[in-house]
Amino acid sequence: MHRWSPQSFKTSNGRDAFPDALNLSDPARRHAPFAKGWDTMAKKRVIAWTCSVTVAAVAILICLNALAWQTPARQPEDQRTRQSEEASGPETADDDAQPHDDGSAHETVVGGARFNAEGYRTRRQTSAINATVADESQERANSKEQKSTEAVVLESWAGDTGESQFEDVPGLDVQRALREGPLDAVGAERARGGMSQEQYREWLALPSIEEFFFEESETVCGTDDRVRISPATQFPWNANCQLIITMSNGQRARGTGWLISPRTVITAGHCVHEGRGGRFFTSIEVIPGMDGATQPFGTQTSRLLRASQAWRSSGDVALDYGAIIVPRPFASPAGTRPGNFGIAVLSNSQLANLNVNTAGYPGDKPTGTQWYNAGRVTTVEAGRLHYMLDTFGGQSGSAVYRLLSSGQRHVVGIHNYGGCPNKCTRITQAVANDLTQWRNQGQ
Amino acid sequence: MRSLATALVLTLLVTTVYSKDKDGVIVKGTITGVMEVFPLRLTLKSGAKEYQIQLSKDTVVTKGKQKVSPGVLREDQMISVEGKKVSGGPADWIAADKIIIQESP
């Protein structure tokens, strides 16, 4: 315990610092230590420390408040409206009547655009390419509808009209694509062809040359046999869209989507919404048929987003899908429109070892370039499909589709997860119902 | 007056350090999902909690002290993530500065 002593309060020249208060040698004060001088000293100290503590407390409160403000409780009005709209259950035709709640943010742009080093358009470039907005009715009159719009097949595909095929893309190693990933018994039988069981096993066990040199493939499943699509102006490539996502925290990410109708783009749920009770992202720029710096059908930015109820509320990975509804149909300067995919709800046996195709915009390739790959479905789950198609970050939302000998293309899954095997949300009847509803909102 | 200024400076210092510690996190867990947006987003299960890990182009991924591509991240891998809570995102979002893939025993 500290004890006061007169020596503690001497000045450098030996005088008492507080003669009135502490000169205990003064007999008059010896028995009156709490006389007027002491009282004044104590008061001064108490006032000084009270002020210090108060200021410190105020400073702490200000800092804590500042921290609290960084956590985001606020969101744009239109998103709150949209969330309450989504939470209120299935959307009605009224949604379609007033789909563009953010007219100022929607931009239809016709013509090409250049990108800066980071792959994003600069503000000046955006305003420059926003100059031409075609009249919608005129577009319709002038447009040359491509024969690429697929029918929606909602019922189970019962006919056996032939195997699903791969796209005829130069550079795709079909045999290698067929080999990647374990096949179930039916698939093995199909793929074996004329080989004996033993020969087939040996063939499957043979590693490719790359596997001799790389212990672990760094970007894809097994050998990277992705093929670049350039140009991407023809169907089905023009139905695939590069997505530039502005998340709720302002960060940007890239994904892929595909047109199911002239104004509706289907993608992964995590490309449009945070999931698990979170929020919709701020806005998404959609660029169909993008090929490097070329944007043959222009670009549109939308805030009208949709996501499955299960993804929004609980982040269910099996139901990780959503949609973007853009303000106007896309069109090239010549009036050509991109096509759109159909969808098919297939049974387990129809999906087992099905040949499937996918194309998207992987982040490990030059910005805005579209890459294709194909392979077989290796596992069929109730809500998901697994495959060893080569994909990379940026391809979330890509269509996983079958190609029939008739030329029809039906999406059977929405690619969303990597990690070898890669995975997609399976188009079940419930998923198809949501997609159909969103498709109708973007007709 | 001097004590007042000292108290104020100390308070500000303590608050700054406190806020830095509060935002910086280290989480260890198992990858349960690799969302293929670019940059990648992971779901990470750590005990009973689940986190969303947002990678950026600056995120460093290492395995056995070697820098590797984020493309090697797979489901069921044990990883350790150093990062910060995402400002403006949900409470369980972490912007990853560094990811260390745990070597399997």
Side-chain angles (χ1 to χ4, degrees):
Chain A
M1 182 131 178
H2 181 76
R3 301 189 68 171
W4 296 108
S5 76
Q7 286 74 21
S8 308
F9 297 90
K10 294 281 187 188
T11 61
S12 54
N13 57 13
R15 291 182 183 169
D16 286 340
F18 304 101
D20 285 344
L22 298 168
N23 191 358
L24 298 182
S25 59
D26 180 355
R29 295 189 180 274
R30 187 184 298 268
H31 301 292
F34 296 104
K36 186 181 173 187
W38 268 104
D39 218 11
T40 308
M41 179 62 200
K43 272 183 187 171
K44 279 180 183 174
R45 285 189 169 273
V46 166
I47 289 168
W49 279 106
T50 306
C51 289
S52 305
V53 169
T54 309
V55 169
V58 169
I60 288 172
L61 280 175
I62 290 170
C63 292
L64 288 177
N65 272 339
L67 285 175
W69 289 334
Q70 284 178 4
T71 42
R74 310 183 67 171
Q75 56 185 307
E77 185 64 35
D78 63 322
Q79 279 191 36
R80 269 183 274 158
T81 311
R82 193 165 56 237
Q83 278 179 315
S84 59
E85 172 190 298
E86 296 268 357
S88 65
E91 291 150 327
T92 64
D94 286 342
D95 280 15
D96 219 16
Q98 37 179 293
H100 313 311
D101 51 4
D102 60 335
S104 60
H106 289 260
E107 299 157 350
T108 300
V109 180
V110 181
R114 297 283 168 190
F115 285 73
N116 64 18
E118 292 179 6
Y120 299 120
R121 276 200 318 280
T122 62
R123 190 180 293 271
R124 180 182 294 180
Q125 286 164 338
T126 303
S127 41
I129 60 174
N130 284 350
T132 312
V133 179
D135 179 85
E136 195 173 334
S137 58
Q138 189 64 39
E139 280 177 31
R140 283 208 180 106
N142 294 340
S143 69
K144 300 167 187 173
E145 289 283 353
Q146 294 191 341
K147 292 179 181 177
S148 54
T149 302
E150 301 291 348
V152 176
V153 183
L154 290 176
E155 71 281 5
S156 286
W157 177 60
D160 186 12
T161 59
E163 293 264 323
S164 172
Q165 303 171 348
F166 294 148
E167 298 283 358
D168 184 16
V169 174
L172 177 72
D173 186 338
V174 175
Q175 289 308 314
R176 189 192 289 168
L178 286 168
R179 280 176 57 191
E180 285 185 330
L183 301 176
D184 68 12
V186 179
E189 182 64 34
R190 283 184 194 165
R192 196 165 62 236
M195 293 187 207
S196 69
Q197 188 80 29
E198 290 70 28
Q199 283 174 320
Y200 179 66
R201 279 194 186 132
E202 284 173 18
W203 179 70
L204 275 185
L206 277 176
S208 63
I209 188 71
E210 287 83 353
E211 286 165 333
F212 282 115
F213 293 99
F214 300 105
E215 188 180 343
E216 186 168 20
S217 167
E218 288 206 344
T219 59
V220 293
C221 303
T223 306
D224 184 358
D225 50 3
R226 292 174 291 175
V227 180
R228 180 172 174 181
I229 303 297
S230 182
T233 48
Q234 299 299 311
F235 187 75
W237 320 118
N238 62 17
N240 296 319
C241 309
Q242 166 87 82
L243 307 181
I244 298 175
I245 304 157
T246 304
M247 296 192 278
S248 12
N249 56 19
Q251 291 184 339
R252 283 187 157 190
R254 282 184 273 161
T256 301
W258 47 276
L259 285 160
I260 193 174
S261 69
R263 287 177 34 234
T264 303
V265 179
I266 302 298
T267 185
H270 64 253
C271 288
V272 296
H273 190 277
E274 292 168 350
R276 292 195 292 166
R279 296 171 295 174
F280 278 97
F281 293 142
T282 307
S283 65
I284 299 179
E285 185 177 2
V286 180
I287 312 164
M290 187 176 183
D291 180 26
T294 307
Q295 301 174 321
F297 303 96
T299 169
Q300 296 189 53
T301 301
S302 177
R303 290 185 185 176
L304 200 56
L305 311 176
R306 300 284 183 262
S308 76
Q309 171 68 41
W311 174 255
R312 293 195 321 261
S313 59
S314 62
D316 186 341
V317 294
L319 296 168
D320 182 355
Y321 62 94
I324 306 153
I325 299 170
V326 297
R328 299 172 191 84
F330 287 99
S332 72
T336 309
R337 287 189 177 170
N340 56 268
F341 286 100
I343 56 175
V345 181
L346 303 185
S347 66
N348 287 354
S349 60
Q350 287 162 347
L351 285 166
N353 303 305
L354 185 73
N355 290 343
V356 285
N357 304 268
T358 194
Y361 291 91
D364 64 329
K365 299 291 188 185
T367 304
T369 53
Q370 192 177 137
W371 293 76
Y372 165 80
N373 199 236
R376 286 178 183 274
V377 172
T378 56
T379 306
V380 179
E381 293 177 352
R384 297 172 98 184
L385 306 176
H386 297 199
Y387 39 79
M388 298 292 277
L389 275 67
D390 299 327
T391 60
F392 196 82
Q395 285 188 252
S396 260
S398 306
V400 177
Y401 64 94
R402 68 173 184 181
L403 168 61
L404 298 181
S405 51
S406 63
Q408 286 192 309
R409 293 169 178 87
H410 299 141
V411 176
V412 296
I414 303 159
H415 176 73
N416 40 29
Y417 287 83
C420 293
N422 300 320
K423 301 170 192 75
C424 69
T425 292
R426 176 181 173 180
I427 306 285
T428 59
Q429 189 61 57
V431 174
N433 291 346
D434 274 348
L435 299 193
T436 306
Q437 193 176 48
W438 297 336
R439 181 192 70 143
N440 293 339
Q441 290 171 11
Q443 286 287 14
Chain B
M1 203 60 196
R2 198 191 305 162
S3 61
L4 185 71
T6 310
L8 192 61
V9 167
L10 279 174
T11 306
L12 288 173
L13 194 67
V14 166
T15 313
T16 309
V17 171
Y18 169 71
S19 64
K20 197 171 182 181
D21 285 344
K22 193 184 170 196
D23 285 344
V25 286
I26 298 177
V27 182
K28 287 183 182 177
T30 308
I31 297 175
T32 55
V34 182
M35 297 181 213
E36 285 214 319
V37 283
F38 185 80
L40 292 176
R41 224 168 99 194
L42 311 173
T43 47
L44 186 74
K45 197 166 175 69
S46 176
K49 284 200 79 174
E50 197 162 37
Y51 295 90
Q52 303 227 19
I53 310 297
Q54 176 71 58
L55 277 72
S56 74
K57 62 179 182 179
D58 300 321
T59 303
V60 177
V61 184
T62 57
K63 184 178 181 182
K65 294 180 183 173
Q66 297 283 320
K67 191 176 168 185
V68 294
S69 158
V72 304
L73 293 166
R74 301 275 189 269
E75 277 182 24
D76 300 326
Q77 273 175 343
M78 288 279 292
I79 59 168
S80 169
V81 180
E82 290 179 33
K84 297 179 196 69
K85 288 191 173 180
V86 172
S87 153
D92 57 356
W93 269 40
I94 294 167
D97 296 325
K98 189 176 180 184
I99 295 178
I100 301 165
I101 302 173
Q102 308 287 317
E103 301 271 19
S104 16

